[in-house]
Amino acid sequence: MSTGRALDHIGLISNDLDGLVARYEGMGFTLTPRAYHPDHMGTSNQLVQFTGRNFIELIEVDRPDGILPPKPGHVGFGHFAKEMLQRREGMCLVVFRTQDRDADLAAWNARGLDTYAPFEFERLATMPDGSQVTVRFELGFVTSEAVPDTIFFVCHNQMEELFWKPEFQSHANGAEEITAVSLSAADPAKAAEFLSALFDGEISDRAGGHSVSCGPHRIDVSSPDALQGAWKTGRPPFGSIGFEVRCPGRAGTSTAATEAGGAFIDWGK
């Protein structure tokens, strides 16, 4: 029996969304049309949706002047993204599925985790036929000093029937699902304990660190030294730095972070 909560999506921020989308299309991914978050967030995105019902979110800070400064006890994602881009591009969001955001926040608070005010937003999404609909999301945030430069949250997608479209879930490379996330941490054991505390995911040992069960998925936490081979361009930064996609036609290969927007991709079967 699996433990923990399934992955909903991951997020990568870039200074050039069009260029990053072109690279992902070159790898055989289908992407949704560009969508715009509210002006106070200052970001836009394009998604890689999978039949396994999770997705990659590629993000750009495109309206920096309208971003509201963060308030105490709140996550200002646009502000966070703008500041992180001053250090590096790459992966910055790890998101889990939920049907009850408030219950998850209450459970995290009871465990003494660092949580933030609930957040809701809506945006327009362009359908395969070019029409536009409104989609809505409820988010609950949690962070840990053990995993810097990464925001974790639960996402309640309130308009799933409008969000998931077969036309966007079919990829020339045959990719089916995000199956794992790779994190680099100064103290892998402490980071794994934080991740396990989110949804009681079982911790197991792996070379150079630990794995935390996330339902059918997992999060691997390793030291930077153990991840140098996967990173390929020197010592990797701390935080979320890679992910695995189930893609039988490319299984056993990898794509360097320099080619995939600051996060390496392992292609699994």
Side-chain angles (χ1 to χ4, degrees), residues 93-111:
L93 302 178
V94 178
V95 187
F96 301 90
R97 302 174 190 172
T98 192
Q99 294 297 316
D100 193 336
R101 181 268 317 270
D102 294 340
D104 288 331
L105 283 173
W108 292 344
N109 284 325
R111 296 180 182 197

Side-chain angles (χ1 to χ4, degrees), residues 4-8 95-97 214-217:
R5 181 79 61 81
L7 294 168
D8 182 79
V95 187
F96 301 90
R97 302 174 190 172
C214 301
H217 312 131

Side-chain angles (χ1 to χ4, degrees), residues 5-40:
R5 181 79 61 81
L7 294 168
D8 182 79
H9 70 277
I10 59 173
L12 287 79
I13 53 171
S14 173
N15 287 307
D16 177 13
L17 181 57
D18 289 339
L20 185 56
V21 165
R23 276 183 274 166
Y24 272 69
E25 289 177 335
M27 288 187 278
F29 290 114
T30 300
L31 284 101
T32 62
R34 186 187 282 247
Y36 297 88
H37 295 125
D39 288 342
H40 66 84

Side-chain angles (χ1 to χ4, degrees), residues 212-237:
V212 181
S213 175
C214 301
H217 312 131
R218 70 180 196 278
I219 296 180
D220 298 331
V221 190
S222 306
S223 67
D225 291 342
L227 286 168
Q228 278 187 283
W231 188 248
K232 293 183 170 63
T233 55
R235 185 179 174 85

Side-chain angles (χ1 to χ4, degrees), residues 16-189:
D16 177 13
L17 181 57
D18 289 339
L20 185 56
V21 165
R23 276 183 274 166
Y24 272 69
E25 289 177 335
M27 288 187 278
F29 290 114
T30 300
L31 284 101
T32 62
R34 186 187 282 247
Y36 297 88
H37 295 125
D39 288 342
H40 66 84
M41 296 172 68
T43 50
S44 58
N45 69 13
Q46 290 184 244
L47 311 180
V48 179
Q49 296 186 357
F50 295 113
T51 54
R53 286 294 182 111
N54 58 23
F55 63 95
I56 304 166
E57 180 180 16
L58 306 182
I59 308 164
E60 180 182 77
V61 178
D62 62 338
R63 286 154 291 149
D65 294 341
I67 295 174
L68 295 178
K71 298 185 295 185
H74 292 71
V75 167
F77 174 70
H79 182 80
F80 164 82
K82 186 167 66 171
E83 286 200 331
M84 182 170 166
L85 283 171
Q86 295 174 3
R87 299 187 295 278
R88 67 179 179 94
E89 297 178 297
M91 197 168 157
C92 62
L93 302 178
V94 178
V95 187
F96 301 90
R97 302 174 190 172
T98 192
Q99 294 297 316
D100 193 336
R101 181 268 317 270
D102 294 340
D104 288 331
L105 283 173
W108 292 344
N109 284 325
R111 296 180 182 197
L113 301 178
D114 293 330
T115 62
Y116 303 83
F119 182 71
E120 299 86 30
F121 74 95
E122 61 182 39
R123 64 168 175 81
L124 292 176
T126 302
M127 298 292 95
D129 65 2
S131 63
Q132 290 194 313
V133 298
T134 298
V135 290
R136 300 182 181 88
F137 307 90
E138 292 183 345
L139 313 180
F141 298 100
V142 62
T143 61
S144 171
E145 293 181 354
V147 189
D149 275 353
T150 302
I151 295 174
F152 299 85
F153 62 91
V154 289
C155 178
H156 181 191
N157 184 338
Q158 297 180 295
M159 311 293 288
E160 293 215 33
E161 71 281 3
L162 299 176
F163 184 86
W164 299 106
K165 296 299 174 184
E167 295 90 338
F168 297 142
Q169 295 172 284
S170 176
H171 305 283
N173 59 21
E176 300 170 352
E177 184 176 16
I178 301 167
T179 53
V181 167
S182 290
L183 304 181
S184 168
D187 187 339

